[in-house]
Amino acid sequence: MACIGPYSQARRLGPGLLLSSGVLGLVPHTMALPTAREAGIAREPCQNEEEEEEDGDEDEAASAADGPSPDPPDQLEAELWQLMRSLRNVLQVMGSGFHEVRLAQVYAAGPGAGDAASLCRHTLAYMRREAPSVSPLISYAEVPRLPKGGCVEIAVIC
């Protein structure tokens, strides 16, 4: 857990009210966005993809001309995985947890963030891994960009 600015990660405003700042999926010790491989969710190539790589130089030439093709779903999943770990830690330090979340504010930027419904479902699924009965309101907003080039940022109210 580390801030990228001069602000608190969370603040308790009396009994029963906790506000978190927006949390990005940054790896705490590097302050960089995680790769899918770091998050342990890198997609393994399927059998057909491996065969295609062995087959032809034409495909390689076409791919090289197009440049690298990042896999946004894997990057989004890596960021969301790291973000939820960091958010869980912030909540624990404040004596709370996902079971107390009443509102999750999801901010998404860029094409890598996917669609609103999918991102909100993933957010809820991550929370329910630790708090199966949690049922917060989820608000979603698309923003032009997020700090550090992130795809998603989440703030919660408990």
Side-chain angles (χ1 to χ4, degrees):
M1 300 182 320
C3 293
I4 61 171
Y7 55 85
S8 298
Q9 290 180 314
R11 184 168 180 152
R12 190 165 291 283
L13 301 176
L17 183 59
L18 174 68
L19 306 174
S20 82
S21 297
V23 176
L24 293 166
L26 299 175
V27 176
H29 64 278
T30 65
M31 294 304 290
L33 294 169
T35 64
R37 187 168 306 283
E38 288 172 324
I41 57 170
R43 186 176 62 83
E44 295 297 324
C46 66
Q47 182 102 12
N48 294 341
E49 289 173 333
E50 289 173 357
E51 289 171 6
E52 287 174 13
E53 286 177 16
E54 292 171 6
D55 278 348
D57 297 325
E58 298 135 18
D59 290 339
E60 281 182 28
S63 296
D66 295 335
S69 58
D71 195 355
D74 284 348
Q75 181 58 39
L76 173 63
E77 190 69 23
E79 281 185 47
L80 194 53
W81 175 82
Q82 182 61 53
L83 182 160
M84 296 308 277
R85 286 183 56 187
S86 296
L87 183 56
R88 179 189 65 218
N89 292 339
V90 168
L91 294 175
Q92 284 177 343
V93 165
M94 297 301 294
S96 188
F98 288 133
H99 65 282
E100 293 184 349
V101 173
R102 300 295 172 252
L103 172 66
Q105 299 166 308
V106 179
Y107 302 97
D115 68 281
S118 177
L119 187 52
C120 291
R121 275 194 310 274
H122 276 83
T123 300
L124 184 58
Y126 270 100
M127 287 185 195
R128 285 187 172 163
R129 286 180 182 171
E130 292 190 29
S133 63
V134 70
S135 191
L137 296 172
I138 299 177
S139 68
Y140 173 90
E142 289 183 18
V143 295
R145 66 186 161 279
L146 290 168
K148 301 274 191 175
C151 292
V152 62
E153 178 176 336
I154 299 176
V156 297
I157 297 175
C158 298

